[in-house]
Amino acid sequence: MAEAAPSGADPAAATDLLSEAREQVDRLLDQWAGRLQQELGGKQGQALAYALRTPGKRVRAALVIACYRAMGGRAAGIAGVAAAVETVHTYSLVHDDLPCMDNDDLRRGRPTTHRRFDVPTATRAGYLLVPVAARVLAAAASELTLTPAALGRMAGELFQAGGVEGMVGGQWLDLEAENQTLSLSELIGVHRGKTGALIRAACTLGGMAAEAADRHISGLSAYGEDIGLAFQIADDILDCTGTSEELGKTAGRDVQLAKSTYVRLLGIDRARAEAERLAQRAVAHLEQAGIPSAALGALAGYIASRNS
Ligand code: GRG
């Protein structure tokens, strides 16, 4: 079997980066949650705060921060860009769990937002998170003293990845594909949109915040595209091999919903080998673009072989 991580990658470096990202981004999201709860009030405010405060792994946040630093960025304000990406991701989880989509009860080890509140409140909370993400990004750009042009470019990148050409489009195809068997290339198309687009954007946003050159942004984009797919393959594997306690969400849901997954098409061993191959190729893209990649190599290894 292929190596579990790109050669030279240090698993402890990934764990350290993830804890740092969690600490910084959770603090910011907690502040936003408090502010929004006051602005909105009532059950709607509570639901929005509940969704923002649910504790995730913060992989996308760690990617924003690591790509920013790989491109020479040093300011602490990058955590705000990471929080904006995590806000879009949180919106997608709130809606993904709704009865009209995956209809799930458990997320991040807690009741899903519509179970804790109700379906209309959770639906509105999800929609409300999209403009919240824009506010979080604008505040971060101001703290980083980015130009309006840089903010415009970053907003375009984030919301295009979150839209019909990315996450929404991929989810749409995923829902349409329930009870059908997709070909591998169709499945790759679904995964690249549903999961990969936002992960790729996390990487390019880190580079853009550091005002990286276009050829470096392209290298980060190619890296992000491969680890985005590897991330979803690992998700497919964990759905079969993990428990609900370990995952913080209902295990075995893909089989229950008759979804096409990498595991269904290739089996667990070949799916695992493919995730590892993609992680290695992601790092090769960085090397080709001349991007120093120790932290990003560690994150690629973590993403392909993660166990939660
Ligand atoms: C209107 C069709 C339509 C769609 C709305 C709901 C939605 C947009 C998109 C769903 C996108 C989605 C949930 C993709 C799955 C990505 C994924 C593997 C999520 C799990 O990510 P982790 O493991 O979660 O990083 P944590 O909880 O750690 O943040």
Side-chain angles (χ1 to χ4, degrees), residues 158-241:
L158 177 57
F159 293 106
Q160 191 165 7
V164 76
E165 291 158 64
M167 192 175 76
V168 167
Q171 174 79 346
W172 189 333
L173 293 173
D174 190 48
L175 293 168
E176 282 188 345
E178 280 177 16
N179 298 306
Q180 290 180 35
T181 303
L182 298 182
S183 67
L184 190 57
S185 67
E186 287 169 330
L187 182 67
I188 290 171
V190 171
H191 282 1
R192 281 204 192 287
K194 182 179 85 163
T195 305
L198 192 60
I199 289 181
R200 190 192 63 76
C203 299
T204 50
L205 283 167
M208 287 173 186
E211 297 176 273
D214 283 351
R215 83 182 174 87
H216 286 146
I217 302 287
S218 299
L220 294 174
S221 175
Y223 165 85
E225 196 159 333
D226 277 349
I227 54 160
L229 193 50
F231 188 92
Q232 181 60 52
I233 297 173
D235 201 74
D236 287 359
I237 295 169
L238 287 170
D239 186 71
C240 298
T241 59

Side-chain angles (χ1 to χ4, degrees), residues 57 60 89 91-92 96 108 171 194-195 231-232 235:
K57 291 185 293 296
R60 294 154 192 79
H89 172 55
Y91 131 69
S92 81
D96 188 52
R108 295 173 166 172
Q171 174 79 346
K194 182 179 85 163
T195 305
F231 188 92
Q232 181 60 52
D235 201 74

Side-chain angles (χ1 to χ4, degrees), residues 206-288:
M208 287 173 186
E211 297 176 273
D214 283 351
R215 83 182 174 87
H216 286 146
I217 302 287
S218 299
L220 294 174
S221 175
Y223 165 85
E225 196 159 333
D226 277 349
I227 54 160
L229 193 50
F231 188 92
Q232 181 60 52
I233 297 173
D235 201 74
D236 287 359
I237 295 169
L238 287 170
D239 186 71
C240 298
T241 59
T243 64
S244 299
E245 288 69 35
E246 284 162 349
L247 303 180
K249 60 183 180 179
T250 314
R253 201 79 185 116
D254 293 341
V255 175
Q256 283 168 15
L257 295 172
K259 293 218 182 216
S260 280
T261 66
Y262 258 81
V263 174
R264 191 166 142 202
L265 290 193
L266 299 182
I268 289 189
D269 287 349
R270 283 179 63 205
R272 201 165 266 144
E274 180 58 6
E276 286 160 6
R277 185 186 73 83
L278 286 163
Q280 309 259 4
R281 196 173 73 176
V283 172
H285 288 308
L286 295 179
E287 282 160 7
Q288 275 157 25

